[in-house]
Amino acid sequence: MSEVVSLERRGPIAVITVNNPPVNALGQAVREGLQKSFAAAEADAAVQAVVLVCEGNTFIAGADIKEFGKPPMAPSLPEVIEGLEACSKPSVAVIHGTALGGGLEVALGCHYRIARKDSQVGLPEVKLGLLPGAGGTQRLPRVAGVAKALDMIVSGAPIKAAEALQFNIVDELFEGDLREAGIAYAQKLIAEGRGARRTGEQSAALEGVDNAALVAAKHAEVAKRMRGLFSPLRCIAAVEASFSLPLSEGLKRERELFTECLSSPQRAALVYSFFSERQAAKVEGLDPKTPTRAFDKVAVIGGGTMGVGIALSFANAGIPVRILEISSEARDKAMERASGTYAASVKRGSLTQDAMDKRMALVTGVTDYADLADVDLVIEAVFEDMGVKQKVFEQLDAVCKPGAILASNTSSLDLNVIAGFTKRPQDVVGLHFFSPANVMRLLEVVRAEKTSDEVLATALAIGKKLKKVSVVVGVCDGFVGNRMVFQYGRESEFLLEEGATPEQVDGALKDFGMAMGPTAMRDLSGLDIGWSIRKRQRQELPAEYKLPVLLDKLCEAGWLGQKTGKGFFVYEAGNRNPQPNPDLQPLLEAASREQGIERRQLSAEYIIERTIYALINEGAKILEEGIAQRASDIDVIYLNGYGFPAYRGGPMFYAEQIGLDKVLARIQEFHAEHGAWWKPAPLLVKLASEGRTFSDWNGQ
Ligand code: T1G
């Protein structure tokens, strides 16, 4: 049939094999090969049953995402699946790995399905801004019921094979050889005289189940939980058609809704984000075959919030980790913090007690550097002061074995200087975790001037093992994420001096899709951190870089944010939800007066431009300086570390969707109005004038 789909006869059984590495995606050749192979099996009088199996690590993992946005190529997947289902001879799909999206839809078009015990099935299209567009919204409810179908399709989360069996999505579980299992099942079908069992001919209506009520409840849940997303509501509408319309009408309705999603800007952003995350793992000039070092024994220096979070990341990955503190009291406190963190998860039900015990057994507290002599990797997470870092790295250099990797979690200090405290700068790298380190997926891997390729490759392997999203960044103040967030935070503070309230600034940005508003975020991290940076800036920055004065007023009043129960917002004891601060207005007005500003009403759109464009402008500078390899790396950082909405792709993608010329024009206006901070990034000026985008800039 084709090199990606083959057909062989095993007695009365036709075995159709898909072999399209790496994930057997349903590109045009696969769709055509499936259509021709099933037609050939149907026409072959000697064939009594058909087995569909895949080579490689997984059954079909979906449509070929690379095809989205391009002109459709026949045959379409719905057409192929309808052909499979119409066959008169019973067909069985043999699932292994992850049957996802179009892959599960193909399996549902087959008459029977068996799954290897360790496999998973799912319809993750909603995560790409889509919905299952090849019958999944019509066929899954017919086998699993509307409630389960709604859960799977709206969440996009896969389920394990055992659960799929429980919900009749698969008929049997197996272990061992895929083909043999499929052929054995097909022989059983023949022996028992079980013919074609078409999913589409079954009904989604279940005795005693009010499907309309299920749809209404899911609507209410999505409206609350998936604010701003385009496709979840269309997923629900498509599933509704599975019981309110006959199959042919339901498939038409699904196609209409799928087409709406396909053309939405959110689909473009979410597909971009899918590939950007995978692209980030590819480092220009770093041979993917670079050898990596073992990291079976790990130590963390510092048992504060960050140090313990980092240590738990390793325990969660099954790696033993030592936390070194300066005294037995501090060590014991760190261990309590570790067990307390796990205990909270057990209380929430997200971790079993047994799992907690297993993980805690991997964490030990020490106080003597001599205990680190055999570790493969040390991560320093001590106070952000160069003097303290120097002492730590000099001790590590003296104690750790040759080849041990010495990593710093510093969020802004110069890693080249830190590496210089050791005789082994080639073994020094930055591993910048984001708080809470055991939860946040982002890991900025900071490549210092002398960091060796092997250490860099190992740092990426560490990130993968910890299930982090790693992005390689260069050395500068704040690397990528924090350097940009400084601009964003400063602008949000200026807006408060110009007339906005914290509720308006945060409200506008939460409506934009940010997980948290900038003022609530600064309350969370502690206003004193920004205050000490602000005081340093007052000493160092040239006069034309005007600074807000509001933060100083809050800190002078002792309002440091959540830690004092009062900052831009107020916080009741035990409640982290920000409430308006009734005593703030006089400080806002005093700050405006001091800055000589007449307070005025600011629109939400203006608030978005002054904050998000500040990210974009700094991102363009970072890109031009080579601190980030590519614009999409900056976007991956913002999606995974700063709560930027994935359905907008990231600040750089968002700029491209608006148009760099339009973004530049507004930045030039801000520059005229607000001075030096808004000097347009030269790269932005260049690309806008050439009609190019960040994505197509490769340094020229
Ligand atoms: N299309 C094209 N390329 C894909 C792909 C896909 N569906 N899935 C993965 N890749 C590439 C990926 O970019 C990477 O490429 C390589 O494969 C390995 O991926 C009609 C419309 C299957 C769980 O959303 O979740 O069907 O970087 O690094 O960690 O209703 O890939 O090597 O060049 O992620 O082992 C629905 C998406 C599509 C599944 C494997 N399906 N993929 O994870 O490998 S929409 C999905 C995944 C659809 C229908 C609709 C994961 C995986 P490169 P990887 P992994």
Side-chain angles (χ1 to χ4, degrees), residues 22-23 25 61-66 68 77 98 100-102 105 124-125 128 130-134 258 274-275 278 282:
V23 297
D64 186 337
I65 305 176
K66 296 184 182 72
F68 294 153
L77 188 57
T98 49
L100 298 174
E105 291 174 303
E125 289 86 340
L128 297 171
L130 291 166
L131 54 82
F258 176 79
F274 173 86
F275 287 118
R278 286 153 181 82
K282 295 168 186 153

Side-chain angles (χ1 to χ4, degrees), residues 618-632:
E618 198 63 24
K621 293 174 189 169
I622 285 168
L623 192 55
E624 187 163 22
E625 293 167 26
I627 299 292
Q629 291 183 90
R630 50 181 87 89
S632 61

Side-chain angles (χ1 to χ4, degrees), residues 138-318:
Q138 306 305 303
R139 292 191 175 91
L140 185 63
R142 284 174 161 82
V143 293
V146 167
K148 190 60 182 173
L150 279 171
D151 284 349
M152 288 179 68
I153 291 168
V154 171
S155 72
I159 61 172
K160 291 188 168 43
E163 192 176 352
L165 179 69
Q166 185 194 343
F167 282 91
N168 304 315
I169 298 168
V170 301
D171 301 286
E172 197 172 275
L173 304 187
F174 71 89
E175 289 182 296
D177 184 81
L178 301 172
R179 260 181 199 76
E180 293 322 311
I183 288 168
Y185 193 84
Q187 284 166 341
K188 201 163 69 171
L189 292 174
I190 296 168
E192 294 168 3
R194 286 194 284 157
R197 180 191 66 178
R198 298 186 182 89
T199 309
E201 289 170 358
Q202 296 173 34
S203 165
L206 283 180
E207 192 58 38
V209 176
D210 183 347
N211 284 335
L214 289 171
V215 164
K218 188 55 84 173
H219 248 290
E221 180 198 320
V222 163
K224 205 161 110 252
R225 214 166 39 82
M226 303 173 100
R227 194 166 45 88
L229 281 172
F230 183 81
S231 66
L233 291 174
R234 283 151 186 82
C235 288
I236 298 172
V239 170
E240 188 171 13
S242 71
F243 59 86
S244 58
L245 295 172
L247 180 67
S248 57
E249 293 306 306
L251 288 170
K252 274 201 200 96
R253 180 75 180 122
E254 175 191 82
R255 204 73 201 152
E256 282 162 16
L257 293 161
F258 176 79
T259 306
E260 272 182 57
C261 293
L262 195 60
S263 52
S264 80
Q266 290 193 9
R267 186 274 306 157
L270 287 164
V271 168
Y272 164 83
S273 303
F274 173 86
F275 287 118
S276 302
E277 187 174 309
R278 286 153 181 82
Q279 185 71 4
K282 295 168 186 153
V283 182
E284 313 281 332
L286 180 69
D287 180 346
K289 297 191 185 63
T290 302
T292 56
R293 293 181 194 166
F295 45 94
D296 305 320
K297 290 182 194 156
V298 177
V300 174
I301 312 293
T305 309
M306 279 310 285
V308 167
I310 294 168
L312 298 190
S313 297
F314 284 91
N316 295 344

